[in-house]
Amino acid sequence: MKYQILTAALLAAFSASVMANEKAIQSGSELAQVKGCIGCHGMDGIGIGPTFPNLAGQHSSYLVEQLRHYRSGYRPNAIMAGQATNLTDAEIFDLASYYASKPAP
Ligand code: HEC
């Protein structure tokens, strides 16, 4: 009995986190288009050329960290600074969730 309750609680927690992530991925997919990320990183997270890094399959925590560093100027880059300046923390999380969900090349 105890184990059944524990299993049910774990399953509920797990599906709630999966659903939350699905929401972030969906929102990130829209943001990638609206914000223009796809112009350089592609819809599938594969850069359009050798100087545009692939984002597909990268750890989402890594992508979040990099976007925050571009936004703050800690990681200086003329192109990405302009892209990240106006992103909110929530938008960064969603964009990172989206690109991390794409299969690595
Ligand atoms: C005009 C082209 C362009 C656009 C648009 C663009 N990027 Fe980038 N992005 C780059 C380039 C070039 C780099 C490599 C910069 C560097 O050397 O630090 C980069 C780097 C990154 C990185 C770091 C990758 C790594 O491996 O460290 C992330 C994350 C990223 N971009 C996300 C985004 C997101 C999200 C958007 C949309 C809000 C976006 N980019 C829009 C060109 C672009």
Side-chain angles (χ1 to χ4, degrees):
M1 185 62 188
K2 250 189 200 162
Y3 288 115
Q4 280 168 342
I5 294 171
L6 188 63
T7 309
L10 281 174
L11 269 176
F14 177 71
S15 53
S17 75
V18 168
M19 275 161 63
N21 200 248
E22 281 304 315
K23 231 173 141 188
I25 290 170
Q26 178 57 37
S27 154
S29 150
E30 284 154 24
L31 284 168
Q33 299 170 68
V34 174
K35 302 283 180 186
C37 318
I38 63 170
C40 298
H41 298 288
M43 196 63 212
D44 49 5
I46 310 297
I48 57 163
T51 55
F52 302 97
N54 297 332
L55 307 179
Q58 188 53 270
H59 293 285
S60 67
S61 53
Y62 172 82
L63 297 175
V64 165
E65 196 76 3
Q66 300 317 306
L67 287 166
R68 297 180 81 161
H69 287 336
Y70 285 129
R71 187 177 63 182
S72 72
Y74 182 69
R75 178 173 173 179
N77 179 263
I79 297 173
M80 277 309 299
Q83 298 298 319
T85 306
N86 293 317
L87 295 178
T88 65
D89 284 346
E91 287 172 334
I92 285 178
F93 181 83
D94 293 354
L95 284 162
S97 301
Y98 172 67
Y99 277 121
S101 77
K102 294 279 134 193

Tab-separated table of all heavy atoms in Angstrom, residues 13-29 59-61 64 92-102:
chain	number	residue	atom	x	y	z
A	13	ALA	N	4.292	13.640	-9.903
A	13	ALA	CA	5.335	14.665	-9.924
A	13	ALA	C	6.064	14.632	-11.254
A	13	ALA	O	6.367	15.668	-11.854
A	13	ALA	CB	6.312	14.439	-8.773
A	14	PHE	N	6.322	13.408	-11.742
A	14	PHE	CA	7.054	13.269	-12.995
A	14	PHE	C	6.243	13.848	-14.157
A	14	PHE	O	6.748	14.636	-14.948
A	14	PHE	CB	7.372	11.800	-13.252
A	14	PHE	CG	8.067	11.557	-14.561
A	14	PHE	CD1	9.384	11.959	-14.746
A	14	PHE	CD2	7.404	10.943	-15.613
A	14	PHE	CE1	10.026	11.743	-15.958
A	14	PHE	CE2	8.040	10.723	-16.822
A	14	PHE	CZ	9.357	11.127	-16.995
A	15	SER	N	4.950	13.487	-14.261
A	15	SER	CA	4.174	13.975	-15.405
A	15	SER	C	3.950	15.482	-15.318
A	15	SER	O	3.888	16.153	-16.342
A	15	SER	CB	2.862	13.223	-15.559
A	15	SER	OG	2.153	13.248	-14.359
A	16	ALA	N	3.894	16.036	-14.103
A	16	ALA	CA	3.762	17.491	-13.980
A	16	ALA	C	5.013	18.169	-14.526
A	16	ALA	O	4.917	19.180	-15.230
A	16	ALA	CB	3.549	17.872	-12.520
A	17	SER	N	6.188	17.609	-14.249
A	17	SER	CA	7.407	18.255	-14.736
A	17	SER	C	7.544	18.087	-16.242
A	17	SER	O	8.027	18.966	-16.941
A	17	SER	CB	8.640	17.725	-13.994
A	17	SER	OG	8.959	16.436	-14.445
A	18	VAL	N	7.087	16.932	-16.770
A	18	VAL	CA	7.130	16.745	-18.220
A	18	VAL	C	6.200	17.741	-18.902
A	18	VAL	O	6.554	18.350	-19.911
A	18	VAL	CB	6.747	15.293	-18.605
A	18	VAL	CG1	6.506	15.173	-20.102
A	18	VAL	CG2	7.837	14.332	-18.175
A	19	MET	N	5.009	17.945	-18.329
A	19	MET	CA	4.063	18.883	-18.929
A	19	MET	C	4.590	20.307	-18.879
A	19	MET	O	4.437	21.063	-19.837
A	19	MET	CB	2.720	18.796	-18.206
A	19	MET	CG	1.834	17.690	-18.759
A	19	MET	SD	0.529	17.227	-17.626
A	19	MET	CE	-0.398	18.750	-17.547
A	20	ALA	N	5.232	20.675	-17.763
A	20	ALA	CA	5.804	22.010	-17.644
A	20	ALA	C	6.856	22.207	-18.728
A	20	ALA	O	6.934	23.251	-19.358
A	20	ALA	CB	6.416	22.204	-16.265
A	21	ASN	N	7.646	21.148	-18.950
A	21	ASN	CA	8.684	21.264	-19.954
A	21	ASN	C	8.089	21.357	-21.359
A	21	ASN	O	8.594	22.113	-22.193
A	21	ASN	CB	9.642	20.083	-19.832
A	21	ASN	CG	10.968	20.391	-20.483
A	21	ASN	OD1	11.321	19.801	-21.495
A	21	ASN	ND2	11.681	21.364	-19.941
A	22	GLU	N	7.029	20.596	-21.622
A	22	GLU	CA	6.363	20.671	-22.928
A	22	GLU	C	5.892	22.099	-23.213
A	22	GLU	O	5.998	22.586	-24.329
A	22	GLU	CB	5.147	19.738	-22.962
A	22	GLU	CG	5.491	18.287	-23.181
A	22	GLU	CD	6.296	18.072	-24.454
A	22	GLU	OE1	5.943	18.644	-25.493
A	22	GLU	OE2	7.304	17.346	-24.384
A	23	LYS	N	5.398	22.758	-22.180
A	23	LYS	CA	4.922	24.135	-22.308
A	23	LYS	C	6.076	25.076	-22.661
A	23	LYS	O	5.954	25.932	-23.533
A	23	LYS	CB	4.292	24.573	-20.984
A	23	LYS	CG	2.924	25.175	-21.119
A	23	LYS	CD	2.338	25.416	-19.756
A	23	LYS	CE	1.584	26.737	-19.744
A	23	LYS	NZ	1.151	27.103	-18.400
A	24	ALA	N	7.202	24.881	-21.974
A	24	ALA	CA	8.377	25.708	-22.224
A	24	ALA	C	8.899	25.484	-23.641
A	24	ALA	O	9.268	26.436	-24.339
A	24	ALA	CB	9.468	25.391	-21.194
A	25	ILE	N	8.892	24.222	-24.073
A	25	ILE	CA	9.397	23.897	-25.415
A	25	ILE	C	8.503	24.541	-26.481
A	25	ILE	O	8.989	25.126	-27.448
A	25	ILE	CB	9.471	22.362	-25.605
A	25	ILE	CG1	10.585	21.787	-24.723
A	25	ILE	CG2	9.691	21.998	-27.060
A	25	ILE	CD1	10.598	20.273	-24.631
A	26	GLN	N	7.205	24.451	-26.280
A	26	GLN	CA	6.256	25.049	-27.230
A	26	GLN	C	6.450	26.560	-27.310
A	26	GLN	O	6.531	27.146	-28.391
A	26	GLN	CB	4.826	24.709	-26.792
A	26	GLN	CG	3.732	25.310	-27.663
A	26	GLN	CD	3.864	24.909	-29.127
A	26	GLN	OE1	4.237	23.776	-29.432
A	26	GLN	NE2	3.592	25.843	-30.037
A	27	SER	N	6.563	27.197	-26.148
A	27	SER	CA	6.765	28.637	-26.107
A	27	SER	C	8.113	29.006	-26.740
A	27	SER	O	8.222	29.978	-27.490
A	27	SER	CB	6.698	29.115	-24.646
A	27	SER	OG	7.432	30.289	-24.473
A	28	GLY	N	9.142	28.196	-26.461
A	28	GLY	CA	10.476	28.450	-27.025
A	28	GLY	C	10.467	28.343	-28.539
A	28	GLY	O	11.156	29.104	-29.231
A	29	SER	N	9.674	27.418	-29.060
A	29	SER	CA	9.578	27.251	-30.501
A	29	SER	C	9.011	28.516	-31.151
A	29	SER	O	9.470	28.964	-32.209
A	29	SER	CB	8.703	26.028	-30.786
A	29	SER	OG	8.033	26.165	-31.999
A	59	HIS	N	22.869	21.022	-23.484
A	59	HIS	CA	22.174	21.028	-22.187
A	59	HIS	C	21.437	22.352	-22.020
A	59	HIS	O	22.028	23.414	-22.275
A	59	HIS	CB	23.169	20.859	-21.041
A	59	HIS	CG	23.815	19.512	-21.038
A	59	HIS	ND1	23.160	18.381	-20.621
A	59	HIS	CD2	25.035	19.121	-21.424
A	59	HIS	CE1	23.966	17.334	-20.737
A	59	HIS	NE2	25.120	17.759	-21.220
A	60	SER	N	20.198	22.297	-21.562
A	60	SER	CA	19.443	23.544	-21.445
A	60	SER	C	20.084	24.470	-20.412
A	60	SER	O	20.087	25.689	-20.579
A	60	SER	CB	17.978	23.287	-21.137
A	60	SER	OG	17.849	22.735	-19.863
A	61	SER	N	20.669	23.898	-19.352
A	61	SER	CA	21.299	24.764	-18.342
A	61	SER	C	22.490	25.517	-18.944
A	61	SER	O	22.748	26.670	-18.591
A	61	SER	CB	21.733	23.950	-17.127
A	61	SER	OG	22.527	22.874	-17.524
A	64	VAL	N	20.980	28.367	-21.062
A	64	VAL	CA	20.489	29.433	-20.177
A	64	VAL	C	21.665	30.284	-19.709
A	64	VAL	O	21.638	31.520	-19.783
A	64	VAL	CB	19.745	28.840	-18.954
A	64	VAL	CG1	19.557	29.882	-17.871
A	64	VAL	CG2	18.404	28.260	-19.370
A	92	ILE	N	14.383	33.210	-21.845
A	92	ILE	CA	15.651	32.481	-21.938
A	92	ILE	C	15.435	31.012	-21.594
A	92	ILE	O	15.906	30.110	-22.286
A	92	ILE	CB	16.715	33.136	-21.019
A	92	ILE	CG1	17.217	34.427	-21.664
A	92	ILE	CG2	17.870	32.172	-20.738
A	92	ILE	CD1	18.240	35.197	-20.847
A	93	PHE	N	14.675	30.763	-20.542
A	93	PHE	CA	14.398	29.373	-20.133
A	93	PHE	C	13.671	28.621	-21.246
A	93	PHE	O	14.020	27.477	-21.569
A	93	PHE	CB	13.564	29.364	-18.842
A	93	PHE	CG	13.262	27.984	-18.354
A	93	PHE	CD1	14.183	27.272	-17.603
A	93	PHE	CD2	12.046	27.377	-18.663
A	93	PHE	CE1	13.908	25.979	-17.165
A	93	PHE	CE2	11.761	26.079	-18.225
A	93	PHE	CZ	12.696	25.385	-17.480
A	94	ASP	N	12.677	29.270	-21.843
A	94	ASP	CA	11.883	28.611	-22.884
A	94	ASP	C	12.711	28.352	-24.148
A	94	ASP	O	12.648	27.273	-24.738
A	94	ASP	CB	10.647	29.457	-23.224
A	94	ASP	CG	9.656	29.509	-22.052
A	94	ASP	OD1	9.872	28.807	-21.047
A	94	ASP	OD2	8.675	30.279	-22.151
A	95	LEU	N	13.499	29.357	-24.554
A	95	LEU	CA	14.348	29.185	-25.736
A	95	LEU	C	15.355	28.056	-25.503
A	95	LEU	O	15.587	27.218	-26.381
A	95	LEU	CB	15.091	30.490	-26.049
A	95	LEU	CG	14.245	31.584	-26.713
A	95	LEU	CD1	14.913	32.951	-26.587
A	95	LEU	CD2	13.999	31.236	-28.187
A	96	ALA	N	15.946	28.032	-24.312
A	96	ALA	CA	16.933	26.990	-23.985
A	96	ALA	C	16.257	25.616	-23.966
A	96	ALA	O	16.807	24.636	-24.476
A	96	ALA	CB	17.579	27.289	-22.637
A	97	SER	N	15.035	25.543	-23.405
A	97	SER	CA	14.315	24.266	-23.360
A	97	SER	C	14.026	23.777	-24.772
A	97	SER	O	14.145	22.587	-25.075
A	97	SER	CB	12.981	24.422	-22.617
A	97	SER	OG	13.192	24.873	-21.306
A	98	TYR	N	13.646	24.721	-25.642
A	98	TYR	CA	13.318	24.354	-27.018
A	98	TYR	C	14.544	23.800	-27.751
A	98	TYR	O	14.514	22.689	-28.296
A	98	TYR	CB	12.758	25.558	-27.786
A	98	TYR	CG	12.590	25.267	-29.248
A	98	TYR	CD1	11.648	24.329	-29.681
A	98	TYR	CD2	13.393	25.884	-30.204
A	98	TYR	CE1	11.513	24.010	-31.019
A	98	TYR	CE2	13.262	25.579	-31.549
A	98	TYR	CZ	12.320	24.641	-31.954
A	98	TYR	OH	12.196	24.312	-33.273
A	99	TYR	N	15.626	24.563	-27.751
A	99	TYR	CA	16.798	24.116	-28.521
A	99	TYR	C	17.425	22.859	-27.917
A	99	TYR	O	17.935	21.999	-28.651
A	99	TYR	CB	17.811	25.252	-28.681
A	99	TYR	CG	17.458	26.163	-29.845
A	99	TYR	CD1	17.229	27.519	-29.670
A	99	TYR	CD2	17.345	25.648	-31.138
A	99	TYR	CE1	16.890	28.348	-30.746
A	99	TYR	CE2	17.010	26.458	-32.220
A	99	TYR	CZ	16.790	27.804	-32.020
A	99	TYR	OH	16.451	28.605	-33.097
A	100	ALA	N	17.354	22.715	-26.592
A	100	ALA	CA	17.895	21.505	-25.959
A	100	ALA	C	17.081	20.268	-26.342
A	100	ALA	O	17.598	19.153	-26.333
A	100	ALA	CB	17.902	21.680	-24.445
A	101	SER	N	15.810	20.478	-26.699
A	101	SER	CA	14.947	19.340	-27.028
A	101	SER	C	15.182	18.819	-28.447
A	101	SER	O	14.708	17.745	-28.812
A	101	SER	CB	13.470	19.743	-26.898
A	101	SER	OG	13.055	20.515	-28.015
A	102	LYS	N	15.911	19.578	-29.254
A	102	LYS	CA	16.165	19.161	-30.647
A	102	LYS	C	17.301	18.140	-30.676
A	102	LYS	O	18.262	18.261	-29.893
A	102	LYS	CB	16.561	20.390	-31.490
A	102	LYS	CG	15.452	21.408	-31.644
A	102	LYS	CD	14.506	20.983	-32.720
A	102	LYS	CE	13.066	21.111	-32.296
A	102	LYS	NZ	12.137	20.436	-33.171
